[in-house]
Amino acid sequence: MTVTEAKTMANDAKRPGAFGLIGWPVAIVMGSAMLLGGFAGYNQAAIDNGEGPLPVWAGPLAALAFAAFGLAFYLRRYAPMWRQWSPRKRRYWLTLAFCGAIGGVVGGWLVIDQPGERGLTEMLASGALSPGFAIGAALLWTAGLAVGMIFYHRTIDDHEERAWLWAGVAGWYAFIFPAPVWWVLHRAALAPPADVMLLFCLSLIVNAVVWMWLKFR
Amino acid sequence: MDAILDNQLKVLRAMRNWSQAELADRLDVSRQAVNAIETGKYDPSLPLAFKLGRLFGLRIEEIFDDGHGGKDDGE
């Protein structure tokens, strides 16, 4: 290895990672949502035990204070790095942060929406949801995905676009191969009814694995 | 998938003492894109190839080699 190559590799190693840039905002949003859920759960438990609940504004105030503190920390740490980036790169990470925040809100809302004691599988897969959450989550998913994808496709570079397209094809194959097979087997009473969410998850996992392989290998 | 071209990107970058991230910033692409081109896992699009040519002050065929030595198949 030449001196130049070693120096170049060292420069790459010193470069601060970008994961914190998106990871912290997502963590702040999720932390605020969990704090809100914690206060709501405490109040519900207090009511169930015949005790007086905390004031209604206590949870939102604590969540807002947490978010403000987290945001101040984040801006202090990442503002200089953020300013050095190109507009395309800033829009790219903003888009990922936006999608992560939507996911955090839906996830936090799902946790808050759960009645009483419920296992993880029941919460994520089979348990009943309130109509308010179902409508809200459906709207957030549809609108968030549409807006996020528009910005995503306008900000990714050639390399990532190629990864995205091949990952999309792989995800599609992961759906069109098993879905009809499962369906005809079920019609012959050889398999249980086709589970659309299972097929969706399989397609999503294949899509994510191929995207990460092509992007980061 | 496309045929992968040989390229001089790593050498040209090292001559300027740029890291992959620095080159990526100059091209306004991700560091992974630069790494994928350098290691021959990905051929850049024509606009990106031209951008590389302008950045290094070279013609595209001076950076990328399709194995024909700059000659047409008919020659």
Side-chain angles (χ1 to χ4, degrees), chain A residues 4-5 7-9 11-12 15 84-89 157-160 162 166 213-217, chain B residues 1-2 10 13-15 17-22 25 28-33 35-36 41-42 45 48:
Chain A
T4 308
E5 277 178 334
K7 199 172 176 183
T8 301
M9 286 172 73
N11 283 345
D12 278 349
R15 189 102 177 167
Q84 288 173 1
W85 284 7
S86 71
R88 183 200 70 80
K89 200 170 177 181
D157 59 26
D158 294 346
H159 177 243
E160 187 161 340
R162 178 173 170 273
W166 278 109
W213 178 62
L214 289 174
K215 169 95 177 147
F216 296 108
R217 70 187 163 136
Chain B
M1 293 259 189
D2 310 324
K10 191 171 182 179
R13 177 173 67 80
M15 283 166 65
N17 200 18
W18 291 341
S19 66
Q20 286 185 343
E22 280 174 298
D25 284 347
D28 199 17
V29 297
S30 65
R31 192 194 60 76
Q32 290 85 13
N35 183 60
K41 290 169 183 159
Y42 161 68
S45 66
L48 184 54

Side-chain angles (χ1 to χ4, degrees), chain A residues 119-188:
Chain A
L120 189 66
T121 313
E122 199 182 354
M123 181 176 79
L124 292 175
S126 58
L129 300 169
S130 71
F133 169 75
I135 292 168
L139 287 174
L140 276 172
W141 169 261
T142 309
L145 191 66
V147 173
M149 285 301 100
I150 288 169
F151 281 100
Y152 178 74
H153 285 292
R154 292 177 69 171
T155 57
I156 53 176
D157 59 26
D158 294 346
H159 177 243
E160 187 161 340
E161 188 178 31
R162 178 173 170 273
W164 181 266
L165 293 175
W166 278 109
V169 170
W172 173 239
Y173 284 155
F175 176 78
I176 64 167
F177 278 87
V181 171
W182 197 345
W183 184 65
V184 293
L185 289 177
H186 167 63
R187 291 191 63 182

Side-chain angles (χ1 to χ4, degrees), chain A:
Chain A
M1 185 186 293
T2 65
V3 173
T4 308
E5 277 178 334
K7 199 172 176 183
T8 301
M9 286 172 73
N11 283 345
D12 278 349
K14 272 192 292 185
R15 189 102 177 167
F19 282 105
L21 200 73
I22 186 169
W24 277 115
V26 171
I28 290 166
V29 169
M30 290 186 74
S32 303
M34 286 169 75
L35 202 57
L36 203 58
F39 270 84
Y42 176 84
N43 275 356
Q44 188 60 50
I47 291 168
D48 291 346
N49 293 333
E51 298 166 10
L54 295 169
V56 172
W57 46 262
L61 190 69
L64 269 176
F66 177 83
F69 181 77
L71 198 64
F73 160 80
Y74 173 78
L75 287 175
R76 186 182 162 136
R77 182 172 178 142
Y78 286 98
M81 186 178 164
W82 186 258
R83 275 195 292 269
Q84 288 173 1
W85 284 7
S86 71
R88 183 200 70 80
K89 200 170 177 181
R90 281 201 290 263
R91 284 199 302 271
Y92 175 80
W93 284 101
L94 266 177
T95 303
L96 293 194
F98 169 76
C99 294
I102 294 274
V105 168
V106 173
W109 192 359
L110 176 65
V111 173
I112 294 168
D113 192 60
Q114 297 305 301
E117 292 175 15
R118 194 180 256 191
L120 189 66
T121 313
E122 199 182 354
M123 181 176 79
L124 292 175
S126 58
L129 300 169
S130 71
F133 169 75
I135 292 168
L139 287 174
L140 276 172
W141 169 261
T142 309
L145 191 66
V147 173
M149 285 301 100
I150 288 169
F151 281 100
Y152 178 74
H153 285 292
R154 292 177 69 171
T155 57
I156 53 176
D157 59 26
D158 294 346
H159 177 243
E160 187 161 340
E161 188 178 31
R162 178 173 170 273
W164 181 266
L165 293 175
W166 278 109
V169 170
W172 173 239
Y173 284 155
F175 176 78
I176 64 167
F177 278 87
V181 171
W182 197 345
W183 184 65
V184 293
L185 289 177
H186 167 63
R187 291 191 63 182
L190 295 170
D195 187 331
V196 68
M197 282 312 289
L198 208 58
L199 290 168
F200 167 75
C201 288
L202 174 70
S203 173
L204 202 63
I205 289 167
V206 169
N207 177 282
V209 168
V210 172
W211 183 86
M212 289 180 82
W213 178 62
L214 289 174
K215 169 95 177 147
F216 296 108
R217 70 187 163 136

